[in-house]
Amino acid sequence: MGIEFNRRSLFRAGASAAGSGVLAAAALSSSQAAAQAAVATQAAPTVRLQQKDGVASGFIIGAPKISDQANHAVVEVPVLCEGGPRLAVTQPVRPSAAEEIAAGLSAGMLVDFVVKKGEVVVNDEHRDPFHVVLAKSSTPIFATQKYGPELAPRNGRPGEMVAAGWVYGKSRGTITIGDGRVVAEDISGRPLPQASKRYEETYRVAADAEVYRVDITNWGASGSSTFDAIPVTKDYSYATTRRQAAFVVFDRDHRQAKQAKVSQIFFFTPHDESDGKPVWDVPTQSDLLSDKGVDPVSGQRYVDIVATRPTTAAYTRSTEPFEIVPGTFFFVGDNEVSCYLFKTNGGTRNPQDDRLILVDTGWPNSGYQYWKNIEAVGFDPRDIDDIIMAHGHLDHYGSTVELVTMIENSGGKVRLLSPREDIAGLPQDAVGNVWNLPPALPAGETLIRERSEFFTYDEWMDFGNVRLLPLWSPGHTPGSASFIFEVQNPDDGERLTFGYMGGYGWSPKTVSATNGWQRLGFPYNLAWLQQRFEPDFVAGQHANQFPLIEIYQALKAYNNDPANSGRQLTMLDAMNRGEWTNYLEKRYAVATNAVADDQPGYQSIETFGPFKPGRENGVDDVRVRLVDGGKVLHGYDRALNKNPQIPLLADGATILIDSFVHDPDGWYVQFELDVLDSYGGYLPGVGPVESIRPEVTEILRTQRFPSREEAESVLESVEAGGTYRVALTPASAIVIPADGATVFRAG
C-alpha cells in the first residue's frame, strides 16, 4: 500500500489511494489504460527544448525513451512545453540511472526540471531530475493557489505555485478554478446572504501564458491551444459528470500570491463530448444519497451522503471551520474527519511552547480544504510546528506528506508525533507475551515512518495554555491513541477538558483466532476510557460520529437570527458538558450487546465471542476483587447535546451511525476489578486485551437494569477493595439473578 515519497517526487502517479498522500489516484480507468497503450503508436515530438538555462515546467504526453550514447545514455521525455510538444532530454547518465529515471515517469504527469545548455540537469546522485508536481488520474484533483503542491524549491526559495480543479469561469485575462462546492443556506433552511463558493478562486492570466489541450485518450494528440478554446463547466450541480478540469502553473511562489499570474494552463479534453460518456469518475447526486431508513422514534426518513470517499470526491465532504475555545482550539477538518488545530502559548517561561499543533491531516486529495480552513481561522498552515497522528489509517495521515513538503519547501520545520505501535507494530504486551502484531501504517509511507517521534502514553504534553494527554487504546489498530485535550479559556482562565476517542471501527464481521485482540480489546478500552476520565466536552475523532458540526451549525443559525442579536452565544455555550460517557457507550453497546439481530452483518461479542478462557459457557460463581467503587452508566441515548437555549438543539442532535442501540432507559453498573480465576488478561495465540497495561485488571459491568435506582442500589452495596462472589455470562457480563437475589455476594 503506497509508494516511497521524498521531497523531489511528492505527487508521483502510481501511489495507491489507500496508502499515500498524493493527490493522484493510482487506478486507471479503462479509457486511460487504452490511452497509455495508444501512446506507443504516436509519433514522439522531434523538436528538442530550446529553453535557456533555468527552471522549466511541462506536462508529459508519452512514455520516456532511453537512447544509448557510447557508455552513457540519455532519457528523452515528450512534454508539452515552450508552446507545443517538445523533447526534454537529460544530460548523459549511466544506463542504470537512465532506467531508474525513466521508470519514475509516465504520461499524465506535470513536472518541473532544470535546463542547462538545452539539457535536463541530472544531479550527482542521478536521482529525480524531473520533480513530479501533479499526476492526472481518473479522479478529480484539487489544489488552491497558495497551498498544496508547487514546483520544487531551489536555491533556498520555494517553487512557483500550482492550482488544479474544475474550470468554472473565464473572462478577458482571468480564469476561475475550484471544486464547485456551493453553500446556499444554513442548517435552519434560512438562505445565506450570499452563496459561498468556499474553494473557488479566480486567477489573473499572463498575456503570454502557454495554453495546452491535453487529450487523455490519446496523449500523443495533445498540443498547444488557445485561451478562448478552454471549455467551462456548465453548472455547479453534483448531478453532472460533464466537468472541465485543468492544471495551472503560476509565475511566482506563494510569498507573492497577490501579484502572481498564470503562466501555463493544461486543460483536459478526453474525447468527443457527443458520445455522452462521463468525462470524469465523479459521483452524481443520486450516487451520493443513500437512504438510511426510517427513524423508529420520530418516523422521519433519513438520507445521508455516504457513497463516495473524499479521496475520489473531496468536495462532497467540505465544511467550514469554526472556533471551539476562543483563539486557541479550532475545528478545521471536513464533515467526515475531525482535524483539530491548537494555538499554544507557553508564556514567558516557556516561549518555545508557542506552537501551532494539528491533530490529524485527514484524507489525501482533501488537503486544499484543510489548508484553506486553517487560513480561514486566522493561521497559515505553513506555520504548523507539530502534526499529531492519532492512528495509522489513511483518513488520519492522508495529507501529511503534502503538508510536510509544503512547510519545508518554504523553509519551515515540522515535527511528526505518532503512536509507536502503528509505526513499529506491537511486539509484546505489558506482561511479556510476544505477539508481533503488524503496524497499521503502510510500509510505503517512508516519510512518516522515518520522521515520526513517538509520544509517551499517560504523560501530559505541556504547551502552557494547552496540554495533551495521549492514551493508548488499541483495538481499532495496534496503536490507536485517544486523547484528553486540556485547553485554557482565555476569557476566564478556566481549564476545559475535551475527550477524543481514537478509533471508531472494530472487527465485527470476522470472528477468528487472529482478530480476537481487536474484538475484545476494542470494548475494553472504551470501558477503560469511560471509567477513568470524565472530560468536560467531547471532541469526536470523526464528524460523522459526534455532532460537533451540527452543534456549530445550530449555533450559527441561532446567532444569525435577528431576534438573538443582543445575546450571541459561543461553542462553549452550545456544547453540553458530560457527553463523554454516552459518546463511548454507543460503540460499546454495538460491540458487546446482541440487541440488533435485524442488523445485516451485525455480530456482537456477546453472541459470537471470542470468549475469555474459562468463561466460554459462563461462570456460576467466581470471586472478584473490586479496584474501584464502580460507576453507574445509562444505555446509549442518541439524542446528543440537548440544549434548550438553542432551538435547533432543544431535542438534541442524532448521529445515524449505529443509532439502533438507542436505549436511554437502560442502566448498568461498571467496575474496574480483578476476577480471581485463571484468565490472565490475554488470549493465547490471539492477542493482548487487558494485558496491554501492567495492572491487568478488567473493566466489567452488570447486565441491564430497567431503572437507575436499581443500579444505584448495587453500587451502594459494595465498596472499593472488597472481595465478592458473582456469576458471569460467557461475554463476562456480571449476571443479575432472575430470582432477585443479590448481585454481589459476600466473598
Side-chain angles (χ1 to χ4, degrees):
M1 298 172 69
I3 189 171
E4 180 173 335
F5 291 105
N6 55 50
R7 292 173 59 182
R8 296 182 296 277
S9 57
L10 175 58
F11 296 107
R12 173 163 297 172
S16 73
S20 75
V22 296
L23 293 184
L28 293 177
S29 66
S30 58
S31 62
Q32 285 181 295
Q36 294 279 28
V39 167
T41 66
Q42 295 295 320
T46 57
V47 179
R48 290 181 56 147
L49 284 173
Q50 303 298 312
Q51 171 154 338
K52 296 178 181 179
D53 294 357
V55 177
S57 57
F59 192 92
I60 300 178
I61 55 170
K65 178 184 176 182
I66 299 175
S67 296
D68 294 330
Q69 293 185 353
N71 295 326
H72 292 82
V74 297
V75 182
E76 300 174 349
V77 182
V79 295
L80 293 176
C81 189
E82 293 185 342
R86 298 287 186 268
L87 273 181
V89 182
T90 67
Q91 294 172 331
V93 296
R94 298 188 308 270
S96 60
E99 292 176 1
E100 182 180 349
I101 293 169
L105 302 174
S106 62
M109 292 179 173
L110 176 64
V111 297
D112 63 87
F113 45 92
V114 176
V115 177
K116 186 175 182 179
K117 295 182 179 180
E119 296 178 324
V120 177
V121 174
V122 182
N123 63 23
D124 292 339
E125 291 80 23
H126 292 178
R127 293 184 58 84
D128 295 325
F130 295 90
H131 168 246
V132 181
V133 187
L134 291 172
K136 170 68 188 70
S137 76
S138 61
T139 56
I141 297 172
F142 304 102
T144 58
Q145 180 191 37
K146 285 177 61 178
Y147 306 116
E150 52 202 9
L151 304 192
R154 293 182 173 93
N155 300 320
R157 58 173 293 272
E160 280 70 25
M161 298 176 293
V162 173
W166 310 126
V167 179
Y168 274 113
K170 63 178 184 177
S171 63
R172 190 175 184 87
T174 69
I175 189 168
T176 299
I177 303 289
D179 67 3
R181 179 67 169 175
V182 178
V183 179
E185 61 183 31
D186 66 23
I187 193 173
S188 67
R190 181 185 298 107
L192 296 174
Q194 183 176 359
S196 170
K197 299 174 183 178
R198 190 172 296 124
Y199 308 106
E200 185 175 295
E201 300 177 335
T202 298
Y203 310 129
R204 293 184 299 164
V205 180
D208 60 349
E210 301 172 9
V211 179
Y212 302 97
R213 176 186 180 275
V214 180
D215 189 329
I216 63 172
T217 64
N218 186 354
W219 297 109
S222 304
S224 62
S225 186
T226 66
F227 186 76
D228 290 341
I230 300 173
V232 173
T233 301
K234 292 180 173 59
D235 64 62
Y236 284 85
S237 74
Y238 288 156
T240 181
T241 59
R242 310 295 307 180
R243 305 181 187 190
Q244 180 58 52
F247 293 169
V248 301
V249 180
F250 295 89
D251 60 3
R252 299 175 187 239
D253 64 55
H254 70 91
R255 298 171 300 181
Q256 297 176 301
K258 292 182 179 180
Q259 294 78 35
K261 292 183 179 181
V262 173
S263 60
Q264 288 179 310
I265 301 174
F266 303 90
F267 69 90
F268 303 97
T269 304
H271 47 62
D272 182 357
E273 294 192 359
S274 64
D275 65 8
K277 294 180 180 179
V279 175
W280 300 96
D281 293 343
V282 298
T284 64
Q285 185 74 23
S286 60
D287 292 330
L288 290 167
L289 299 181
S290 174
D291 190 340
K292 303 298 288 184
V294 176
D295 185 294
V297 177
S298 68
Q300 179 179 356
R301 180 168 292 279
Y302 287 101
V303 175
D304 194 15
I305 296 179
V306 297
T308 305
R309 279 191 165 192
T311 48
T312 56
Y315 49 88
T316 64
R317 305 291 177 141
S318 66
T319 192
E320 62 186 304
F322 51 88
E323 181 181 73
I324 300 173
V325 177
T328 310
F329 182 25
F330 306 87
F331 177 97
V332 294
D334 56 40
N335 68 13
E336 206 270 347
V337 177
S338 299
C339 302
Y340 295 110
L341 185 73
F342 296 90
K343 179 64 178 76
T344 74
N345 179 2
T348 56
R349 292 186 177 182
N350 299 295
Q352 71 275 13
D353 289 332
D354 291 355
R355 306 180 75 82
L356 201 58
I357 301 170
L358 182 66
V359 175
D360 280 354
T361 64
W363 292 98
N365 204 18
S366 295
Y368 74 102
Q369 295 180 22
Y370 310 139
W371 319 151
K372 291 292 286 187
N373 283 354
I374 291 170
E375 181 184 58
V377 297
F379 303 98
D380 187 329
R382 290 183 174 86
D383 291 335
I384 288 173
D385 298 287
D386 303 278
I387 299 171
I388 295 177
M389 181 178 76
H391 66 262
H393 281 166
L394 180 66
D395 50 339
H396 300 286
Y397 69 80
S399 293
T400 295
V401 175
E402 176 185 344
L403 179 57
V404 169
T405 303
M406 185 171 68
I407 292 170
E408 296 185 345
N409 279 357
S410 61
K413 184 178 180 181
V414 63
R415 178 175 64 159
L416 304 187
L417 294 165
S418 304
R420 178 186 300 273
E421 292 75 16
D422 272 5
I423 300 290
L426 179 58
Q428 65 179 32
D429 61 20
V431 296
N433 298 296
V434 176
W435 299 112
N436 293 321
L437 298 177
L441 187 74
E445 294 295 343
T446 53
L447 183 147
I448 298 175
R449 288 182 171 280
E450 292 170 357
R451 294 282 299 274
S452 282
E453 300 176 25
F454 302 135
F455 41 67
T456 302
Y457 299 116
D458 305 325
E459 287 188 12
W460 286 97
M461 293 186 284
D462 194 341
F463 301 98
N465 64 328
V466 173
R467 299 201 306 157
L468 308 177
L469 179 64
L471 304 166
W472 190 24
S473 51
H476 181 63
T477 69
S480 289
S482 297
F483 287 88
I484 301 296
F485 305 144
E486 183 188 88
V487 184
Q488 186 174 28
N489 184 355
D491 291 343
D492 59 15
E494 181 183 9
R495 285 189 169 267
L496 304 169
T497 53
F498 298 80
Y500 174 100
M501 183 264 286
Y504 187 83
W506 63 302
S507 297
K509 293 183 179 179
T510 304
V511 182
S512 70
T514 60
N515 73 347
W517 74 276
Q518 291 178 293
R519 289 179 62 81
L520 292 180
F522 183 79
Y524 160 70
N525 281 289
L526 293 174
W528 184 83
L529 290 167
Q530 285 177 324
Q531 204 75 358
R532 293 292 182 90
F533 300 95
E534 295 185 8
D536 298 314
F537 303 106
V538 171
Q541 184 178 75
H542 279 272
N544 60 357
Q545 294 162 10
F546 185 80
L548 201 60
I549 291 176
E550 288 80 0
I551 294 169
Y552 167 70
Q553 293 292 343
L555 168 68
K556 186 171 71 170
Y558 171 92
N559 286 335
N560 286 343
D561 189 333
N564 301 320
S565 60
R567 185 175 181 271
Q568 297 287 282
L569 301 179
T570 69
M571 277 295 287
L572 296 179
D573 299 315
M575 298 173 67
N576 280 359
R577 296 184 185 235
E579 296 278 348
W580 172 248
T581 298
N582 188 45
Y583 165 59
L584 300 176
E585 183 65 17
K586 174 165 62 173
R587 281 309 272 175
Y588 185 92
V590 170
T592 58
N593 300 324
V595 296
D597 294 335
D598 61 335
Q599 296 295 316
Y602 178 82
Q603 294 184 354
S604 72
I605 289 172
E606 181 177 286
T607 301
F608 294 95
F611 304 115
K612 296 175 180 179
R615 306 178 198 172
E616 295 87 348
N617 299 309
V619 180
D620 291 334
D621 185 58
V622 66
R623 296 174 68 236
V624 298
R625 181 182 60 83
L626 302 187
V627 175
D628 63 16
K631 186 175 185 178
V632 172
L633 309 175
H634 66 77
Y636 176 65
D637 186 348
R638 64 182 165 203
L640 297 163
N641 207 84
K642 296 178 183 177
N643 189 337
Q645 65 179 333
I646 297 178
L648 287 169
L649 295 176
D651 297 322
T654 298
I655 292 292
L656 294 178
I657 294 177
D658 298 333
S659 62
F660 60 82
V661 298
H662 177 70
D663 182 27
D665 297 323
W667 295 88
Y668 306 84
V669 188
Q670 183 170 278
F671 298 89
E672 181 177 357
L673 47 73
D674 184 9
V675 181
L676 303 178
D677 65 359
S678 61
Y679 172 64
Y682 58 93
L683 274 69
V686 175
V689 185
E690 294 87 356
S691 61
I692 63 168
R693 298 185 176 90
E695 60 268 23
V696 195
T697 56
E698 298 180 60
I699 297 179
L700 305 181
R701 64 173 59 179
T702 64
Q703 295 175 309
R704 182 184 187 274
F705 287 103
S707 71
R708 179 168 190 155
E709 291 74 21
E710 291 174 271
E712 289 181 340
S713 68
V714 171
L715 197 66
E716 294 168 357
S717 70
V718 297
E719 60 183 20
T723 301
Y724 303 90
R725 308 192 78 89
V726 298
L728 300 176
T729 70
S732 295
I734 300 169
V735 173
I736 301 174
D739 59 4
T742 303
V743 176
F744 286 84
R745 304 180 298 278

